[in-house]
Amino acid sequence: MFLPVRGHNRGHDSGRGDGDSGDAGGGDAGGGAGRRSRALKAVGLGLAGVLALGVAAAGLAYWHLNQNIKGVDINSALGDDRPPRADTAPSAGTATLPSGALNILVLGSDSRSGDQNKRLGGGDSEGARSDTAMIVHIDAGRTSATVVSIPRDTLVTRPSCPLDSGGSTAEAHYTMFNSAYSVGGPVCAVKTVETLTGIRMDHYVEIDFSGFAKLVDAMGGVTVTTEQDIDDDKSHLHLKAGTHHLKGTEALALARTRYGVGDGSDLGRIGLQQTLVKALLEEISDSGLLDDPAGLYRVADAVTGSLTTDTGLDSLGELTTLGQSLRGLSAQNVETVTMPVVTAPWNPNRVVAKEPDADDLWTSLR
């Protein structure tokens, strides 16, 4: 900002008396200094006001996003009767960021809460199921990862789980994997996965239909390539084989499609979900989203209202730290696999773990 300053040409004042010259020069200099002082104060106050508003807006935005996240205290609910923790200590040279191995249970729930979830396929009844389940194992150093999908139709032993209302659920054998979430929520889902795998889940993340669709839209869509035509009236998805740029509702439909691909089982849908996960990771990397504050806020605002985590991730600060620790993880270094299963001998619509293959997989991730 430029302030007007009145100048004096002293080279042409020799014919004036000292008094005239002094009065004129002294008066103008004093007035100019006063005006400059007042103008600078006004500028300073203006900048202070803008800064205060900016800090207030940032604080309000941070509070808003923090309030959106729902946290579940899984550690307190399950206590110490769990597999040992992975090593999450910082490595040399990265004192502020953890770099140890990490296991995260990620669930996509078909929550019926809210009109948008109902419109997107959550149904009309109350409650929710774990529509998608993935164990994300991040290797030490956090530059590579393995994503293991668990078919929701897998028959498992569901352990006794504590309930918020007090008491606990009964242990159940050869019951569907996604029943754990239905009867005992996130706590029972985590305990069932730990019982199945012998691996401690360090964190838990759950997103519903609405949140997933909003996430994809906030990222500007996602580009995927399908190897066959998809014609599924139940998920309302109709795509020719090839490359497509999908909006949020279309990406959600792809993640839910099962009757339009393969044999119509959950295994065919898992293949599409894994393709979608890799595509999302590539989109994040190619768009430079992690270095775009405005873009990150847009995505966070879209997702946090539909997000449930364990209490170790239920704040923006904790989520940000996790995200920063994963900056070296690229889509090319993420392997997607499915838990080895075979058709249950007594039920062609259900699967059971294929041994010893499944146990070998869990051992490799411990």
Side-chain angles (χ1 to χ4, degrees):
M1 179 175 181
F2 294 93
L3 299 177
V5 179
R6 181 176 299 175
H8 301 278
N9 189 344
R10 295 184 182 270
H12 296 282
D13 284 345
S14 57
R16 296 188 182 181
D18 290 344
D20 290 342
S21 177
D23 289 345
D28 284 343
R35 283 190 293 273
R36 284 196 296 274
S37 177
R38 289 191 295 271
L40 287 171
K41 284 182 180 179
V43 171
L45 289 172
L47 289 175
V50 170
L51 181 60
L53 286 173
V55 170
L60 182 61
Y62 188 91
W63 178 86
H64 166 69
L65 295 181
N66 255 355
Q67 291 297 108
N68 281 347
I69 304 171
K70 179 182 178 182
V72 178
D73 193 352
I74 291 173
N75 288 336
S76 294
L78 294 183
D80 297 326
D81 186 19
R82 304 175 65 186
R85 290 182 180 275
D87 176 18
T88 57
S91 63
T94 58
T96 59
L97 289 176
S99 60
L102 201 62
N103 297 299
I104 305 172
L105 176 61
V106 178
L107 293 187
S109 73
D110 63 350
S111 171
R112 276 84 163 164
S113 63
D115 292 338
Q116 188 166 8
N117 277 321
K118 291 180 180 179
R119 287 195 300 271
L120 291 172
D124 297 322
S125 60
E126 294 301 317
R129 297 165 298 183
S130 55
D131 199 58
T132 301
M134 296 180 176
I135 297 172
V136 180
H137 172 80
I138 303 166
D139 295 323
R142 305 200 178 180
T143 57
S144 59
T146 303
V147 178
V148 183
S149 296
I150 302 177
R152 69 177 190 174
D153 296 336
T154 304
L155 298 178
V156 300
T157 294
R158 189 184 70 222
S160 174
C161 302
L163 296 172
D164 289 340
S165 57
S168 59
T169 65
E171 183 178 84
H173 300 277
Y174 295 109
T175 187
M176 280 180 60
F177 169 76
N178 69 346
S179 71
Y181 184 92
S182 298
V183 303
V187 170
C188 198
V190 169
K191 188 168 184 178
T192 299
V193 168
E194 292 183 345
T195 300
L196 174 67
T197 66
I199 300 172
R200 172 86 168 228
M201 294 297 108
D202 301 295
H203 291 299
Y204 170 85
V205 176
E206 174 193 330
I207 190 168
D208 62 23
F209 285 173
S210 173
F212 182 79
K214 288 178 180 178
L215 166 65
V216 173
D217 282 336
M219 291 176 56
V222 61
T223 300
V224 299
T225 299
T226 58
E227 298 180 355
Q228 64 183 87
D229 295 348
I230 297 175
D231 191 19
D232 189 352
D233 289 333
K234 289 185 177 292
S235 69
H236 309 291
L237 185 66
H238 305 278
L239 289 177
K240 293 293 183 182
T243 300
H244 306 273
H245 191 74
L246 306 180
K247 296 181 180 179
T249 53
E250 295 170 320
L252 175 64
L254 181 67
R256 302 194 65 223
T257 290
R258 63 184 294 179
Y259 298 105
V261 293
D263 60 0
S265 72
D266 196 39
L267 298 179
R269 172 167 59 183
I270 283 175
L272 293 177
Q273 291 172 349
Q274 292 174 343
T275 297
L276 192 54
V277 166
K278 295 294 286 285
L280 284 169
L281 289 173
E282 290 171 358
E283 200 77 42
I284 291 172
S285 176
D286 293 345
S287 66
L289 180 64
L290 295 178
D291 297 313
D292 176 12
L296 281 174
Y297 178 85
R298 184 174 63 252
V299 171
D301 192 34
V303 173
T304 52
S306 304
L307 199 64
T308 300
T309 73
D310 65 284
T311 49
L313 285 181
D314 63 350
S315 76
L316 278 184
E318 289 158 336
L319 285 172
T320 299
T321 297
L322 174 62
Q324 289 174 338
S325 77
L326 300 178
R327 281 182 179 271
L329 179 64
S330 66
Q332 290 71 30
N333 291 331
V334 176
E335 180 183 6
T336 55
V337 298
T338 302
M339 171 186 167
V341 294
V342 294
T343 302
W346 58 92
N347 189 336
N349 297 317
R350 301 289 181 263
V351 296
V352 293
K354 179 183 179 181
E355 299 297 0
D357 300 33
D359 189 55
D360 290 343
L361 173 62
W362 306 136
T363 299
S364 72
L365 299 181
R366 291 180 190 135

